[in-house]
Amino acid sequence: RLTPERKVREQQLGGISKMTLYRWRKDGFPSPVMINNRNYFTEQQLRKDIPAYLAKKISEKKPAHVTKISMH
């Protein structure tokens, strides 16, 4: 079963733009299957590959601001 890229972006990836998905793909996000010039994701990508990519990115993410606590 194939799911259109737009539906995945809007419903499963928080409404990200095409450009964001393009950047993610350059960073290792699974590439969709192209059929008749339209992009689709497979069930395997939706169940395994995409969650694995997102989990990896979340684990790599560093806090934007960390306050150092001094113990004087």
Side-chain angles (χ1 to χ4, degrees), residues 10 17-18 22 39-40 49-50 52 54 57 62 66 71:
E10 291 174 353
S17 69
K18 289 181 186 180
Y22 169 79
N39 293 324
Y40 298 90
D49 302 340
I50 292 173
L54 295 174
K57 294 312 285 181
K62 296 183 176 114
V66 177
M71 301 294 234

Side-chain angles (χ1 to χ4, degrees), residues 26-54:
K26 286 176 51 177
D27 187 46
F29 190 86
S31 292
V33 176
M34 185 178 276
I35 300 173
N36 291 331
N37 216 25
R38 294 178 187 248
N39 293 324
Y40 298 90
F41 287 100
T42 65
E43 278 195 51
Q44 157 124 8
Q45 289 174 311
L46 294 175
R47 291 179 190 224
K48 284 183 153 185
D49 302 340
I50 292 173
Y53 171 85
L54 295 174

Side-chain angles (χ1 to χ4, degrees), residues 8-25:
V8 173
R9 282 189 299 106
E10 291 174 353
Q11 296 178 2
Q12 297 176 10
L13 297 175
I16 64 170
S17 69
K18 289 181 186 180
M19 181 54 73
T20 297
L21 187 58
Y22 169 79
R23 290 182 184 122
W24 285 8
R25 286 200 321 240

